[in-house]
Amino acid sequence: MSNLKSLLTGKYMLWLLLAIPGVMMTLNYAKGQFKYEDIMHITGEFAARMLIISLIATPIRLMFPKTKVAQWLLRNRRFFGVAAFAYTLLHTIFYVLEFPISKIVNESIELSILTGWIAFFVFIPLAMTSTNAAVKRMGRNWKKLQQWVYLAAIMAFAHWALLGLQSEEGSMAGALAHFVPVMLLQLYRVYKQKFSK
């Protein structure tokens, strides 16, 4: 019974749960059930949400130190960080496959697209060093590298917000609704860690 519980609550089950949406949306897109605009929106939102979950783990732990949810988030935040990169990669693959290279290059200088590329490339070393072996090998340098996640988050927010302004709705509401709460939680984290006794 304990082995079954460990399996259901372990990292492999979490990986499976995080991967299922990506697999399903890719299959549906291949079947023609999603338009390009739909798949880009969905993968972008999943990437942002996985990133946000990884970022709120520490402030939630500081706010509710004894709760199991806070402890679980902190213990598994690397999984959500890697999932954020995986959905970002999927988002990028769909974009690259949709357009000719000339269009991609020309668009890359637009701020709304450039911010997305910056977020993507910042994510790469963070994801590649998210293993226990990398943590042990890099020592203190691992934590310094992982702090670049904040730049990736800022660029992801800018990418989403600027694209929102360029859309028919002309609104940053989606980006603000997702990122303002995590920004406030990060301000709380800084206050709690730096100024609170």
Side-chain angles (χ1 to χ4, degrees), residues 61-78:
R61 179 72 171 82
L62 291 171
M63 293 176 74
F64 309 104
K66 296 182 180 180
T67 61
K68 290 184 178 180
V69 171
Q71 293 170 2
W72 183 85
L73 278 175
L74 195 65
R75 187 169 63 250
N76 293 292
R77 62 180 171 180
R78 268 193 284 161

PDB file of all heavy atoms in Angstrom, residues 61-78:
ATOM      1  N   ARG A  61       5.623  29.615   0.907  1.00  0.00           N
ATOM      2  CA  ARG A  61       6.263  28.922   2.046  1.00  0.00           C
ATOM      3  C   ARG A  61       6.512  29.898   3.197  1.00  0.00           C
ATOM      4  O   ARG A  61       6.347  29.539   4.369  1.00  0.00           O
ATOM      5  CB  ARG A  61       7.571  28.298   1.581  1.00  0.00           C
ATOM      6  CG  ARG A  61       8.357  27.555   2.673  1.00  0.00           C
ATOM      7  CD  ARG A  61       7.676  26.254   3.037  1.00  0.00           C
ATOM      8  NE  ARG A  61       8.495  25.437   3.899  1.00  0.00           N
ATOM      9  CZ  ARG A  61       8.595  25.577   5.227  1.00  0.00           C
ATOM     10  NH1 ARG A  61       7.899  26.519   5.840  1.00  0.00           N
ATOM     11  NH2 ARG A  61       9.371  24.785   5.933  1.00  0.00           N
ATOM     12  N   LEU A  62       6.892  31.136   2.862  1.00  0.00           N
ATOM     13  CA  LEU A  62       7.123  32.142   3.899  1.00  0.00           C
ATOM     14  C   LEU A  62       5.817  32.577   4.555  1.00  0.00           C
ATOM     15  O   LEU A  62       5.794  32.864   5.756  1.00  0.00           O
ATOM     16  CB  LEU A  62       7.829  33.362   3.288  1.00  0.00           C
ATOM     17  CG  LEU A  62       9.277  33.149   2.836  1.00  0.00           C
ATOM     18  CD1 LEU A  62       9.780  34.350   2.062  1.00  0.00           C
ATOM     19  CD2 LEU A  62      10.185  32.869   4.039  1.00  0.00           C
ATOM     20  N   MET A  63       4.749  32.616   3.786  1.00  0.00           N
ATOM     21  CA  MET A  63       3.455  33.040   4.319  1.00  0.00           C
ATOM     22  C   MET A  63       2.795  31.940   5.150  1.00  0.00           C
ATOM     23  O   MET A  63       2.168  32.214   6.170  1.00  0.00           O
ATOM     24  CB  MET A  63       2.527  33.442   3.169  1.00  0.00           C
ATOM     25  CG  MET A  63       2.962  34.691   2.434  1.00  0.00           C
ATOM     26  SD  MET A  63       1.905  35.059   0.999  1.00  0.00           S
ATOM     27  CE  MET A  63       0.437  35.666   1.813  1.00  0.00           C
ATOM     28  N   PHE A  64       2.934  30.710   4.685  1.00  0.00           N
ATOM     29  CA  PHE A  64       2.277  29.575   5.351  1.00  0.00           C
ATOM     30  C   PHE A  64       3.295  28.448   5.574  1.00  0.00           C
ATOM     31  O   PHE A  64       3.224  27.395   4.933  1.00  0.00           O
ATOM     32  CB  PHE A  64       1.116  29.068   4.497  1.00  0.00           C
ATOM     33  CG  PHE A  64       0.163  30.156   4.066  1.00  0.00           C
ATOM     34  CD1 PHE A  64       0.189  30.627   2.759  1.00  0.00           C
ATOM     35  CD2 PHE A  64      -0.740  30.700   4.961  1.00  0.00           C
ATOM     36  CE1 PHE A  64      -0.680  31.625   2.350  1.00  0.00           C
ATOM     37  CE2 PHE A  64      -1.618  31.709   4.565  1.00  0.00           C
ATOM     38  CZ  PHE A  64      -1.586  32.175   3.258  1.00  0.00           C
ATOM     39  N   PRO A  65       4.250  28.672   6.469  1.00  0.00           N
ATOM     40  CA  PRO A  65       5.381  27.741   6.617  1.00  0.00           C
ATOM     41  C   PRO A  65       5.028  26.325   7.056  1.00  0.00           C
ATOM     42  O   PRO A  65       5.775  25.393   6.776  1.00  0.00           O
ATOM     43  CB  PRO A  65       6.261  28.429   7.674  1.00  0.00           C
ATOM     44  CG  PRO A  65       5.331  29.337   8.412  1.00  0.00           C
ATOM     45  CD  PRO A  65       4.320  29.792   7.409  1.00  0.00           C
ATOM     46  N   LYS A  66       3.905  26.149   7.707  1.00  0.00           N
ATOM     47  CA  LYS A  66       3.578  24.829   8.255  1.00  0.00           C
ATOM     48  C   LYS A  66       2.596  24.035   7.401  1.00  0.00           C
ATOM     49  O   LYS A  66       2.283  22.892   7.727  1.00  0.00           O
ATOM     50  CB  LYS A  66       3.017  24.986   9.668  1.00  0.00           C
ATOM     51  CG  LYS A  66       4.035  25.562  10.658  1.00  0.00           C
ATOM     52  CD  LYS A  66       3.451  25.656  12.054  1.00  0.00           C
ATOM     53  CE  LYS A  66       4.471  26.225  13.039  1.00  0.00           C
ATOM     54  NZ  LYS A  66       3.922  26.323  14.411  1.00  0.00           N
ATOM     55  N   THR A  67       2.127  24.622   6.324  1.00  0.00           N
ATOM     56  CA  THR A  67       1.124  23.924   5.511  1.00  0.00           C
ATOM     57  C   THR A  67       1.794  22.928   4.561  1.00  0.00           C
ATOM     58  O   THR A  67       2.894  23.158   4.062  1.00  0.00           O
ATOM     59  CB  THR A  67       0.294  24.919   4.684  1.00  0.00           C
ATOM     60  OG1 THR A  67       1.155  25.632   3.794  1.00  0.00           O
ATOM     61  CG2 THR A  67      -0.419  25.904   5.591  1.00  0.00           C
ATOM     62  N   LYS A  68       1.100  21.836   4.303  1.00  0.00           N
ATOM     63  CA  LYS A  68       1.627  20.809   3.411  1.00  0.00           C
ATOM     64  C   LYS A  68       1.705  21.295   1.969  1.00  0.00           C
ATOM     65  O   LYS A  68       2.615  20.914   1.227  1.00  0.00           O
ATOM     66  CB  LYS A  68       0.757  19.546   3.488  1.00  0.00           C
ATOM     67  CG  LYS A  68       0.881  18.810   4.821  1.00  0.00           C
ATOM     68  CD  LYS A  68       0.070  17.525   4.814  1.00  0.00           C
ATOM     69  CE  LYS A  68       0.243  16.766   6.120  1.00  0.00           C
ATOM     70  NZ  LYS A  68      -0.539  15.496   6.136  1.00  0.00           N
ATOM     71  N   VAL A  69       0.754  22.137   1.574  1.00  0.00           N
ATOM     72  CA  VAL A  69       0.758  22.664   0.207  1.00  0.00           C
ATOM     73  C   VAL A  69       2.006  23.490  -0.040  1.00  0.00           C
ATOM     74  O   VAL A  69       2.667  23.347  -1.077  1.00  0.00           O
ATOM     75  CB  VAL A  69      -0.508  23.513  -0.050  1.00  0.00           C
ATOM     76  CG1 VAL A  69      -0.401  24.242  -1.390  1.00  0.00           C
ATOM     77  CG2 VAL A  69      -1.754  22.638  -0.031  1.00  0.00           C
ATOM     78  N   ALA A  70       2.350  24.352   0.915  1.00  0.00           N
ATOM     79  CA  ALA A  70       3.543  25.189   0.779  1.00  0.00           C
ATOM     80  C   ALA A  70       4.808  24.335   0.717  1.00  0.00           C
ATOM     81  O   ALA A  70       5.709  24.591  -0.095  1.00  0.00           O
ATOM     82  CB  ALA A  70       3.627  26.179   1.934  1.00  0.00           C
ATOM     83  N   GLN A  71       4.875  23.331   1.552  1.00  0.00           N
ATOM     84  CA  GLN A  71       6.035  22.447   1.562  1.00  0.00           C
ATOM     85  C   GLN A  71       6.137  21.659   0.256  1.00  0.00           C
ATOM     86  O   GLN A  71       7.222  21.466  -0.281  1.00  0.00           O
ATOM     87  CB  GLN A  71       5.946  21.495   2.761  1.00  0.00           C
ATOM     88  CG  GLN A  71       6.068  22.201   4.103  1.00  0.00           C
ATOM     89  CD  GLN A  71       5.730  21.305   5.276  1.00  0.00           C
ATOM     90  OE1 GLN A  71       5.430  20.125   5.120  1.00  0.00           O
ATOM     91  NE2 GLN A  71       5.760  21.874   6.476  1.00  0.00           N
ATOM     92  N   TRP A  72       4.984  21.216  -0.261  1.00  0.00           N
ATOM     93  CA  TRP A  72       4.962  20.469  -1.522  1.00  0.00           C
ATOM     94  C   TRP A  72       5.398  21.352  -2.682  1.00  0.00           C
ATOM     95  O   TRP A  72       6.180  20.918  -3.540  1.00  0.00           O
ATOM     96  CB  TRP A  72       3.555  19.931  -1.768  1.00  0.00           C
ATOM     97  CG  TRP A  72       3.437  19.096  -3.009  1.00  0.00           C
ATOM     98  CD1 TRP A  72       3.697  17.760  -3.128  1.00  0.00           C
ATOM     99  CD2 TRP A  72       3.048  19.547  -4.315  1.00  0.00           C
ATOM    100  NE1 TRP A  72       3.486  17.345  -4.427  1.00  0.00           N
ATOM    101  CE2 TRP A  72       3.084  18.417  -5.176  1.00  0.00           C
ATOM    102  CE3 TRP A  72       2.668  20.772  -4.830  1.00  0.00           C
ATOM    103  CZ2 TRP A  72       2.763  18.507  -6.527  1.00  0.00           C
ATOM    104  CZ3 TRP A  72       2.340  20.864  -6.181  1.00  0.00           C
ATOM    105  CH2 TRP A  72       2.387  19.736  -7.003  1.00  0.00           C
ATOM    106  N   LEU A  73       4.927  22.594  -2.716  1.00  0.00           N
ATOM    107  CA  LEU A  73       5.319  23.522  -3.777  1.00  0.00           C
ATOM    108  C   LEU A  73       6.825  23.758  -3.773  1.00  0.00           C
ATOM    109  O   LEU A  73       7.471  23.740  -4.824  1.00  0.00           O
ATOM    110  CB  LEU A  73       4.595  24.857  -3.596  1.00  0.00           C
ATOM    111  CG  LEU A  73       3.178  24.966  -4.117  1.00  0.00           C
ATOM    112  CD1 LEU A  73       2.582  26.315  -3.730  1.00  0.00           C
ATOM    113  CD2 LEU A  73       3.143  24.792  -5.631  1.00  0.00           C
ATOM    114  N   LEU A  74       7.365  23.985  -2.590  1.00  0.00           N
ATOM    115  CA  LEU A  74       8.798  24.258  -2.490  1.00  0.00           C
ATOM    116  C   LEU A  74       9.612  23.040  -2.907  1.00  0.00           C
ATOM    117  O   LEU A  74      10.629  23.163  -3.595  1.00  0.00           O
ATOM    118  CB  LEU A  74       9.140  24.665  -1.053  1.00  0.00           C
ATOM    119  CG  LEU A  74      10.513  25.315  -0.859  1.00  0.00           C
ATOM    120  CD1 LEU A  74      10.573  26.648  -1.580  1.00  0.00           C
ATOM    121  CD2 LEU A  74      10.799  25.515   0.627  1.00  0.00           C
ATOM    122  N   ARG A  75       9.149  21.867  -2.528  1.00  0.00           N
ATOM    123  CA  ARG A  75       9.863  20.632  -2.848  1.00  0.00           C
ATOM    124  C   ARG A  75       9.840  20.324  -4.345  1.00  0.00           C
ATOM    125  O   ARG A  75      10.779  19.733  -4.880  1.00  0.00           O
ATOM    126  CB  ARG A  75       9.233  19.473  -2.057  1.00  0.00           C
ATOM    127  CG  ARG A  75       9.982  18.160  -2.161  1.00  0.00           C
ATOM    128  CD  ARG A  75       9.467  17.152  -1.161  1.00  0.00           C
ATOM    129  NE  ARG A  75       8.075  16.794  -1.374  1.00  0.00           N
ATOM    130  CZ  ARG A  75       7.067  17.141  -0.583  1.00  0.00           C
ATOM    131  NH1 ARG A  75       7.276  17.880   0.492  1.00  0.00           N
ATOM    132  NH2 ARG A  75       5.830  16.759  -0.851  1.00  0.00           N
ATOM    133  N   ASN A  76       8.784  20.762  -5.014  1.00  0.00           N
ATOM    134  CA  ASN A  76       8.605  20.405  -6.425  1.00  0.00           C
ATOM    135  C   ASN A  76       8.747  21.580  -7.392  1.00  0.00           C
ATOM    136  O   ASN A  76       8.433  21.443  -8.568  1.00  0.00           O
ATOM    137  CB  ASN A  76       7.228  19.769  -6.626  1.00  0.00           C
ATOM    138  CG  ASN A  76       7.114  18.429  -5.939  1.00  0.00           C
ATOM    139  OD1 ASN A  76       7.755  17.458  -6.335  1.00  0.00           O
ATOM    140  ND2 ASN A  76       6.305  18.370  -4.892  1.00  0.00           N
ATOM    141  N   ARG A  77       9.251  22.715  -6.926  1.00  0.00           N
ATOM    142  CA  ARG A  77       9.289  23.893  -7.801  1.00  0.00           C
ATOM    143  C   ARG A  77      10.200  23.690  -9.004  1.00  0.00           C
ATOM    144  O   ARG A  77       9.941  24.254 -10.071  1.00  0.00           O
ATOM    145  CB  ARG A  77       9.716  25.132  -7.015  1.00  0.00           C
ATOM    146  CG  ARG A  77      11.098  25.070  -6.416  1.00  0.00           C
ATOM    147  CD  ARG A  77      11.415  26.348  -5.661  1.00  0.00           C
ATOM    148  NE  ARG A  77      12.649  26.221  -4.919  1.00  0.00           N
ATOM    149  CZ  ARG A  77      13.157  27.197  -4.180  1.00  0.00           C
ATOM    150  NH1 ARG A  77      12.529  28.348  -4.084  1.00  0.00           N
ATOM    151  NH2 ARG A  77      14.284  27.013  -3.526  1.00  0.00           N
ATOM    152  N   ARG A  78      11.244  22.877  -8.864  1.00  0.00           N
ATOM    153  CA  ARG A  78      12.114  22.621 -10.020  1.00  0.00           C
ATOM    154  C   ARG A  78      11.376  21.884 -11.122  1.00  0.00           C
ATOM    155  O   ARG A  78      11.611  22.114 -12.308  1.00  0.00           O
ATOM    156  CB  ARG A  78      13.352  21.818  -9.590  1.00  0.00           C
ATOM    157  CG  ARG A  78      14.527  22.708  -9.214  1.00  0.00           C
ATOM    158  CD  ARG A  78      15.794  21.885  -9.111  1.00  0.00           C
ATOM    159  NE  ARG A  78      15.849  21.112  -7.896  1.00  0.00           N
ATOM    160  CZ  ARG A  78      16.632  20.055  -7.700  1.00  0.00           C
ATOM    161  NH1 ARG A  78      17.410  19.615  -8.677  1.00  0.00           N
ATOM    162  NH2 ARG A  78      16.641  19.416  -6.556  1.00  0.00           N
TER     163      ARG A  78
END
